Amino acid sequence: APPAVPTAAPLAADTPLTTTRGNAFVAPVEWRVEVRGDATILAAPEGDSWIALVDVPESAAADADAAVAAAWKAYRPEASWPLDVVNDRPDADGWSRQRGYQYRTSPNERRAVSVSTRFAAGVWTVVIYDMSEPVAEKRGGQVATIFSRLLPKGYTRESFAGKKAHALDAARLAELRRFVEEGRELLQVPGVAVGIVQGGKVVLAEGFGERELGSGVPIDADTLFMVASNTKALTTLLLARLVDAGRLDWQTPATEVLPSFRLGDAATTSKVRIEHLICACTGMPRQDLEWIFEFGDMTPAKAMATLATMQPTSDFGALFQYSNPMAGAAGFLAGHALFPDLELGAAYDRAMQEQVFDPLGMSSTTFDYARALAGNHTGPYAQDVDGKVARAAMEVNYAVVPVRPAGGAWSNVRDMLRYVQMELDRGRLPDGRRYVSEAALLARRESQVAMGKNGWYGMGLMVDQTWGVDVVHHGGDLIGHHSDMIWLPEHGVGAVVLTNGDPGWTIRSLFSRKLLEVLFDGEPQADARLAAAAKSFFENLAAERKLLTIPADAEAAAALAGGYANDALGAIAVRRAGGRTFFHFGEFESEMATKAHADGTVSFSTLAPGITGAEFVVGSGGGKRTLVLRDAQHEYLFTER
């Protein structure tokens, strides 16, 4: 049985609290808190998700494993999920002896269970994460609220507030190069490009590794990558230009500019202003499968029609929820405002070219795949299920084209640095001319919704204050392409990191911390975190591989129907060849493995590099064979046809 729902009233606001032994954290608004012995249990409003903070004195637990056993006994002694993998984590934020424990759940449970340990002042603090997947995603910003300020008693986190950034001289740049190259090798990423500006000048613009694995052709500052969701900030820059031109205002209702804009909920539709289109604040959930599957005949107009079938899962303005189709609508609305007689995609492309790329001198940046792929560009790579680097499923990346304002641009570090420099120059071009007003530019950085207690999401931009300085940034992730752009407005420093392989997200996410360390002589954390993340990535891959049957179990495969269909996601054709099983999804295909679960169910899991691990659970209903595919908050039933 799950823990009893605490009897305390829901919190009226985010509330600073301590664990029973005095370690600090913040409990989120609307959550309930119960203290049971040394366990402080936080319950999400839905009543099916908990985070327990359990203090265990060292006298009662000699090591991390013993502390975890004691914590489970205090929180939920009957829990019996099997342990999949244990990863060591580096010291950080005053904590030592950190470890992570990942438990195995069955897909039909729709549950994520993990544990982490940390140690300070003679006490283990064990965090048990026991969350339903829908709640975990919907309340991810609130979960970040808990963890972003979880610190040992009396500890103050390192801060760079009030410090002056060092000039990035040859030695400091060499340290950043070393970090990137060592990270690239540790993570087996074929190529990385990095650019840095400081004081109005480009101080680094280089490539590391190769464009195509084994080709020996080096990456340079002109090599194109898919910048994915970094496109969002470029889209809101277009909107800022339209605000300056008087074509719209941040508070203009979206339907006034694009009458076809509709969400599945009329009340939410009526609340959406221009500033809300890429704010992650409308309550519209992440619902990417509906534009990733069967995208062959998808158009911007059809993508917008699909948006009209989507429902919010939280109140407007309450929770951080990231929606790519909403970002697509933002760009198409902007293009339509300028060129109402053009098709939505053509209008957006022309608007971006004339209003953003041309004025900023971003001459290589494009939404034209054919143009990008004909020139100096990278191929996408990912690990296969055995941990070997392989060509990733690039064909799936074409799915973003009909929602390209959300993530469809190709660019390079040279072009992206021009954009970053304009942000640092508060809307001016290198020759001093005003490109966009400060007011319109900076409105995009203002908080629309919290992402924990150390930062927020604006309009296609995030602001992180973890280390006492404002770091404006955004990441981008598509299959085999992972990137980040970062700038410190107070210090005149900006950077762009582009990678062409999974798990390049580790390099791009930790580069900002490394940059801060180099600029401010900070505590050396980034290297240890990167090494630990790389080790964990491959250990987790190996643990998952042990659960897979490849080729797929012959008996389970023989029991499949020849094809399945779902109204929202389209058709799956099943084929067998050479004793192997393949699912064809319209525009892409993957060999499938089978996976047996503790609850007796069997799933078929994708194996294509870059899209590994999508699970289709075998079932039946209404006299027909079925498959169920889920994202965090949605369930799609495929029925045999």
Side-chain angles (χ1 to χ4, degrees):
V5 175
T7 54
L11 295 172
D14 290 349
T15 305
L17 296 172
T18 63
T19 64
T20 58
R21 303 288 173 138
N23 299 315
F25 69 97
V26 177
V29 63
E30 296 186 338
W31 288 50
R32 296 170 184 262
V33 182
E34 175 195 23
V35 177
R36 193 181 344 161
D38 268 333
T40 303
I41 301 169
L42 293 86
E46 289 77 6
D48 65 352
S49 299
W50 302 270
I51 292 175
L53 309 176
V54 188
D55 287 333
V56 182
E58 188 175 23
S59 59
D63 58 22
D65 291 350
V68 169
W72 275 116
K73 186 175 180 181
Y75 164 67
R76 195 168 176 175
E78 82 289 356
S80 59
W81 290 288
L83 180 62
D84 251 355
V85 65
V86 179
N87 308 122
D88 289 322
R89 298 173 181 174
D91 296 354
D93 282 336
W95 300 107
S96 62
R97 307 188 207 177
Q98 298 202 95
R99 301 189 92 189
Y101 298 72
Q102 191 68 44
Y103 293 83
R104 189 188 320 155
T105 59
S106 300
N108 286 349
E109 290 181 80
R110 304 193 72 182
R111 194 155 205 86
V113 180
S114 63
V115 171
S116 60
T117 65
R118 58 209 73 201
F119 185 85
V123 176
W124 297 95
T125 295
V126 181
V127 179
I128 299 178
Y129 179 95
D130 178 13
M131 302 275 290
S132 82
E133 289 176 351
V135 173
E137 181 172 274
K138 182 170 72 172
R139 298 193 177 275
Q142 291 190 319
V143 172
T145 292
I146 299 167
F147 290 114
S148 60
R149 298 279 178 88
L150 179 56
L151 298 170
K153 181 179 181 179
Y155 179 83
T156 301
R157 177 179 277 142
E158 178 183 37
S159 174
F160 306 124
K163 293 190 175 183
K164 183 181 178 182
H166 288 289
L168 292 171
D169 58 18
R172 293 178 192 276
L173 289 174
E175 175 63 8
L176 291 169
R177 287 189 185 95
R178 181 203 59 77
F179 177 79
V180 170
E181 182 58 21
E182 288 188 8
R184 190 185 70 76
E185 292 178 359
L186 272 174
L187 294 160
Q188 300 178 20
V189 173
V192 181
V194 178
I196 303 175
V197 291
Q198 184 177 40
K201 295 180 180 178
V202 176
V203 296
L204 181 70
E206 292 180 14
F208 304 80
E210 52 193 354
R211 285 159 39 179
E212 301 282 353
L213 189 65
S215 70
V217 180
I219 284 172
D220 58 32
D222 296 307
T223 302
L224 291 172
F225 296 73
M226 295 197 75
V227 299
S229 286
N230 289 303
T231 309
K232 289 178 170 71
L234 301 175
T235 295
T236 63
L237 181 60
L238 170 61
L239 288 169
R241 290 270 288 180
L242 297 186
V243 169
D244 279 347
R247 297 250 183 187
L248 46 81
D249 186 83
W250 293 122
Q251 281 71 48
T252 302
T255 52
E256 279 190 19
V257 185
L258 185 64
S260 62
F261 174 75
R262 290 285 184 279
L263 305 177
D265 179 80
T268 305
T269 304
S270 69
K271 293 176 184 176
V272 176
R273 304 294 183 255
I274 300 299
E275 66 179 348
H276 300 135
L277 289 166
I278 312 186
C279 71
C281 67
T282 61
M284 297 297 289
R286 189 152 200 156
Q287 206 161 337
D288 290 340
L289 294 180
E290 294 185 28
W291 57 267
I292 290 174
F293 277 75
E294 290 281 13
F295 56 83
D297 64 350
M298 185 65 73
T299 64
K302 288 182 179 178
M304 294 304 92
T306 299
L307 188 59
T309 69
M310 298 181 179
Q311 301 283 348
T313 58
S314 59
D315 291 340
F316 197 96
L319 300 174
F320 170 79
Q321 294 215 71
Y322 193 83
S323 169
N324 282 303
M326 284 288 287
F332 296 138
L333 177 149
H336 182 75
L338 282 174
F339 306 111
D341 295 330
L342 292 181
E343 179 269 331
L344 289 175
Y348 172 73
D349 294 347
R350 181 175 171 186
M352 288 294 289
Q353 193 67 48
E354 295 181 4
Q355 297 290 324
V356 179
F357 302 155
D358 288 347
L360 295 182
M362 299 174 71
S363 58
S364 298
T365 305
T366 184
F367 292 105
D368 185 339
Y369 274 50
R371 176 189 160 192
L373 296 173
N376 174 359
H377 74 282
T378 57
Y381 291 88
Q383 276 71 26
D384 64 18
V385 290
D386 294 310
K388 296 175 182 174
V389 181
R391 185 84 178 188
M394 175 64 189
E395 58 270 27
V396 184
N397 285 332
Y398 284 82
V400 79
V401 173
V403 289
R404 54 190 173 276
W410 289 81
S411 193
N412 55 34
V413 293
R414 214 178 289 284
D415 274 12
M416 292 301 291
L417 284 179
R418 290 185 174 99
Y419 162 74
V420 169
Q421 187 63 60
M422 182 278 302
E423 289 275 6
L424 287 169
D425 290 337
R426 301 170 76 90
R428 291 193 181 275
L429 298 175
D431 62 8
R433 282 183 297 130
R434 170 66 58 191
Y435 163 69
V436 63
S437 69
E438 278 196 38
L441 183 81
L442 300 183
R444 299 156 53 252
R445 304 181 198 171
E446 293 172 7
S447 177
Q448 295 281 351
V449 67
M451 299 176 67
K453 297 305 288 183
N454 298 329
W456 61 81
Y457 201 89
M459 299 181 216
L461 290 170
M462 306 175 191
V463 179
D464 184 358
Q465 299 179 321
T466 301
W467 309 108
V469 293
D470 283 1
V471 179
V472 186
H473 70 108
H474 206 286
D477 300 286
L478 282 168
I479 292 164
H481 289 272
H482 305 278
S483 58
D484 211 36
M485 56 183 186
I486 308 148
W487 61 92
L488 282 62
E490 304 161 43
H491 298 279
V493 177
V496 175
V497 182
L498 308 175
T499 76
N500 73 336
D502 300 352
W505 58 79
T506 303
I507 298 173
R508 64 98 163 159
S509 63
L510 287 175
F511 186 82
S512 60
R513 171 64 205 185
K514 184 65 181 183
L515 181 62
L516 291 172
E517 291 173 12
V518 169
L519 285 170
F520 300 107
D521 292 334
E523 299 168 5
Q525 296 182 15
D527 283 83
R529 287 169 62 188
L530 188 143
K535 187 170 182 285
S536 295
F537 175 80
F538 290 105
E539 288 174 348
N540 292 347
L541 260 184
E544 178 67 14
R545 177 63 182 88
K546 292 176 182 177
L547 304 177
L548 299 175
T549 299
I550 306 173
D553 178 79
E555 185 177 347
L560 291 169
Y564 298 82
N566 171 270
D567 288 344
L569 302 190
I572 299 173
V574 178
R575 72 178 181 91
R576 303 284 306 284
R580 296 179 179 271
T581 303
F582 298 83
F583 282 10
H584 185 77
F585 302 105
E587 284 66 50
F588 58 98
E589 183 177 76
S590 177
E591 184 184 351
M592 308 300 288
T594 42
K595 197 172 173 184
H597 303 289
D599 60 3
T601 57
V602 171
S603 61
F604 282 79
S605 184
T606 51
L607 292 176
I611 57 169
T612 54
E615 288 197 65
F616 296 78
V617 182
V618 176
S620 62
K624 292 191 173 185
R625 288 169 286 189
T626 62
L627 297 171
V628 173
L629 174 68
R630 300 179 174 98
D631 67 11
Q633 296 188 62
H634 306 92
E635 183 171 288
Y636 300 93
L637 178 68
F638 289 82
T639 304
E640 75 170 289
R641 52 172 190 169

